Amino acid sequence: MNEVNEWLQIGRIVKVRSGKDEGGYAVIVGIVDERFVLIADGDKRRFDGPKKKNVMHLLMQPVVSEEVADSMRETGRVTNAKLRYAIQKYAQGKGE
C-alpha cells in the first residue's frame, strides 16, 4: 500500500471513481489517514464541507496544484475559487 501513500498529497487532483460525484474531479484538501482523504471541488463540494472519501474510490492524477498546496500550507485554508480554477486548468490541459 506504500505506493498509494506517495500519491496522498494536499493539492493533488483526483478523479472520483464511485459515488454520486463519479467521473468528476476534485482536489485533496485534507488527509485523514492512509485510507481516507478529504476532497472538495469548490462548487458542489465546498472547502468548508469536504467529502471524506476512501482512496480506493479515487483515481490519483499526476498533478498537484501548487496554488492549493501553498495556500493550505500558509493559511490552512483555500478558497473555493482556487479549487475550481485548479480543476478547470487541469481539465482543459487534458482536453475535457
Side-chain angles (χ1 to χ4, degrees), residues 70-81:
D70 290 345
S71 180
M72 289 293 289
R73 257 193 307 275
E74 290 166 17
T75 65
R77 303 185 52 77
V78 64
T79 64
N80 290 307

Side-chain angles (χ1 to χ4, degrees), residues 11-73:
R12 178 157 315 273
I13 309 273
V14 296
K15 188 167 190 175
V16 182
R17 294 201 308 197
S18 66
K20 66 177 187 173
D21 300 327
E22 185 175 346
Y25 289 101
V27 181
I28 296 178
V29 295
I31 297 170
V32 178
D33 57 32
E34 61 187 28
R35 285 190 51 218
F36 291 97
V37 294
L38 300 175
I39 61 169
D41 64 9
D43 185 22
K44 293 187 297 275
R45 185 59 70 177
R46 301 180 92 73
F47 175 77
D48 290 328
K51 174 81 177 144
K52 183 178 175 186
K53 204 81 171 131
N54 187 325
V55 295
M56 302 308 278
H57 298 162
L58 300 172
L59 198 57
M60 302 293 167
Q61 303 299 306
V63 172
V64 174
S65 167
E66 288 306 319
E67 291 103 337
V68 172
D70 290 345
S71 180
M72 289 293 289
R73 257 193 307 275

Side-chain angles (χ1 to χ4, degrees), residues 79-96:
T79 64
N80 290 307
K82 226 175 242 183
L83 291 172
R84 288 191 302 271
Y85 174 75
I87 292 167
Q88 181 184 2
K89 195 166 97 172
Y90 177 71
Q92 280 176 346
K94 284 195 67 173
E96 289 188 14

